[in-house]
Amino acid sequence: MELKVGDDGNRQHYGSALCWWLTVSVVAILVVGAGVFTILAKFHHHSHSPQLSNINTKYVSSLQLALRFFDVQKSGKVENNRVSWRGDSGLRDGREENLDLSKGLYDAGDLVKFGFPMAFTATVLSWAILEYGHHMDAVKQLDYAMESLKWITDYLVNAHPFADILYIQVGDPEVDHNCWERPENMTEKRPVIQVNSSFPGTEVAAETAAALASASLVFKEINLTYSLILLEHAQQLFTFADTYKVSYSVSVPQVGKYYNSSGYEDELLWAGSWLYHATKDPSYLDYVTEKNENEFGSLGSVSWFSWDDKHAATQVLLSRVNFFGARDIPDVENLDLQKYRETAEILMCKLLPDSPTATTNRTKSGLIWVVPWNSLQHSVASAFLSVLYSDYMLTSQTENLYCSGKMYKPIDLRKFAISQVEYVLGENPMRMSYLVGYGSEYPRYIHHRGSSIPVDAKTGCRDGFKWYDSPEPNPNVAFGALVGGPFFNETYDDFRNNSMQGEPTTYSNALLVGLLSGLVATSSVAWSF
């Protein structure tokens, strides 16, 4: 059921919000005239790619593939798309609310646009670019990463028409999952769902704030006007999220079946951390330290980084501030940052396979494995965090990490990350790559509508299931798709109806992009964004 703000109860709200929206609209028009072309052209400040002498060509080709998957998932008018079997789709999304929600990404093998994981995808992509954009640039992949990021942030900006209204979903999952069709051929109604002050959604608003704040840093040097628009939306969304602390799974219970949230505390800290990096406003640092670290921070305990839980990533991101230091941070907040870093170190020690505190959440071959559904998400997420932490140590000349008295070096964390990506690329008992298109053996029957239906097929909602049931491999190869992954016993069943193992997701791909970007070459990360 679609939730809307009633007209009678909100005339005053719309009147006050109209002035704000008109102001943003005028600025947005200026952006169209002055800056949109910068993403489609070569980026002037990266016109001379840096020379890295230690490039790993295997990871370069994997990164190229992983970034292509975002083109597979695009909604809207897909100009300059690199995927021959994809065309325009979702062009009318949002029209019933007088919004243009045509852009954005389909999250997985279906045709729904879920705002929560989409915003997470943007945040991770931004983080990857901010830390390893120089690596991407050296191998000529930065433009593709930034174009995919902007495809999402354009959507997220349009999905936030008023300060306390955010559209969080396009499409009805129940209707969508009863169809099997190409996105280009959709004819079903595409209802939209919003959160607002009457039906809040703290975690989805906060994650969107994190996405736009981090992206504002990415675009700051090449399109300041656009960057400032993203930052303004991020700050308003954070205020909205923090003012109305209610889980979106409670306010909009129908979303709980697909992306049910386990809590919003981590998203508030995650968003506050990114806003601190984007603004250097000490009030955001105070928010994530003195004000909320004990209630929200999960300090001293280990969690697994995913679209649902950002505690571990927040701890690593705030460790960055502690590693590199910052001016005018009070001693008490530096001590708080040290607590975040100590918690991040607990996770690093859990990940190292021969650590005294090594986690048992790994397969016999060493793959981090937490849950059966989309199991590789936690593997690549853990490896991404370990590469970041390793590089923070390396850049800050921190030589040692101690795990219950045993000493480790930054290279040990990097070796762990390499072990995870090597598993993904074929060093596993199945002797197959879980990245579609890499190597000679990879999944051929992935759970993905567009991939499984021939371009010239004339099918509607229900009769398209003949392609779902087809014994033939997918006719369109979804190059770069990272499938869900193996079971704990390290087996994988390549069947189209095996969505638990065979459905790719944009957010797992974003994590893989971050991981591969860090491993493409070795070099110091920037001291600040």
Side-chain angles (χ1 to χ4, degrees), residues 18 115 121 128 291 365 421 428 461 484:
L18 184 58
T121 299
K291 286 186 177 179
S365 299
V421 79
N428 56 66
C461 167

Side-chain angles (χ1 to χ4, degrees), residues 289-496:
T289 54
E290 288 296 287
K291 286 186 177 179
N292 293 296
E293 65 173 355
N294 292 326
E295 184 178 0
F296 296 167
S298 193
L299 296 176
S301 61
V302 171
S303 58
W304 299 105
F305 183 30
S306 70
W307 63 263
D308 180 43
D309 193 334
K310 290 90 182 185
H311 280 111
T314 302
Q315 290 151 9
V316 170
L317 182 60
L318 291 176
S319 295
R320 186 188 218 286
V321 183
N322 185 255
F323 269 116
F324 300 147
R327 294 179 181 178
D328 304 323
I329 295 181
D331 289 342
V332 65
E333 290 186 351
N334 266 320
L335 289 173
D336 294 332
L337 291 171
Q338 180 65 28
K339 294 177 185 176
Y340 278 106
R341 178 171 163 181
E342 289 170 355
T343 303
E345 288 184 349
I346 294 173
L347 174 62
M348 296 303 124
C349 291
K350 290 281 186 183
L351 297 178
L352 290 167
D354 63 342
S355 163
T357 57
T359 182
T360 58
N361 286 98
R362 68 182 89 225
T363 67
K364 186 177 180 180
S365 299
L367 181 75
I368 293 295
W369 197 98
V370 180
V371 295
W373 199 286
N374 194 15
S375 61
L376 286 176
Q377 177 184 191
H378 294 107
S379 314
V380 296
S382 299
F384 177 45
L385 294 184
S386 72
V387 167
L388 287 169
Y389 205 85
S390 171
D391 286 343
Y392 295 166
M393 291 179 66
L394 191 67
T395 304
S396 64
Q397 297 183 334
T398 302
E399 294 185 359
N400 301 316
L401 168 68
Y402 291 94
C403 301
S404 296
K406 190 171 181 179
M407 186 178 70
Y408 294 92
K409 301 289 186 181
I411 189 62
D412 295 312
L413 289 170
R414 191 175 185 88
K415 287 178 179 177
F416 160 75
I418 290 172
S419 74
Q420 301 302 290
V421 79
E422 288 293 330
Y423 189 106
V424 168
L425 297 179
E427 293 296 323
N428 56 66
M430 296 293 293
R431 310 309 298 173
M432 65 176 287
S433 166
Y434 291 106
L435 182 65
V436 173
Y438 184 84
S440 59
E441 297 296 328
Y442 52 82
R444 311 282 175 164
Y445 295 82
I446 70 170
H447 184 90
H448 189 279
R449 286 158 173 76
S451 175
S452 67
I453 303 174
V455 174
D456 58 354
K458 306 298 182 184
T459 58
C461 167
R462 297 295 300 175
D463 57 344
F465 276 101
K466 68 181 181 182
W467 302 109
Y468 175 84
D469 296 324
S470 170
E472 299 299 321
N474 288 4
N476 308 312
V477 180
F479 284 107
L482 177 68
V483 296
F487 287 135
F488 186 68
N489 65 2
E490 305 188 274
T491 61
Y492 179 88
D493 296 320
D494 192 13
F495 296 107
R496 199 170 290 115

Side-chain angles (χ1 to χ4, degrees), residues 11-25 161-163:
R11 287 175 182 167
Q12 184 175 0
H13 160 78
Y14 279 107
S16 61
L18 184 58
C19 291
W20 171 84
W21 178 241
L22 286 174
T23 301
V24 172
S25 298
F162 301 105

Side-chain angles (χ1 to χ4, degrees), residues 62-81:
S62 303
L63 176 61
Q64 291 170 342
L65 280 171
L67 282 166
R68 282 188 66 181
F69 183 63
F70 297 116
D71 287 336
V72 171
Q73 297 303 101
K74 281 182 179 177
S75 170
K77 191 168 185 60
V78 289
E79 300 173 352
N80 303 316
N81 200 359

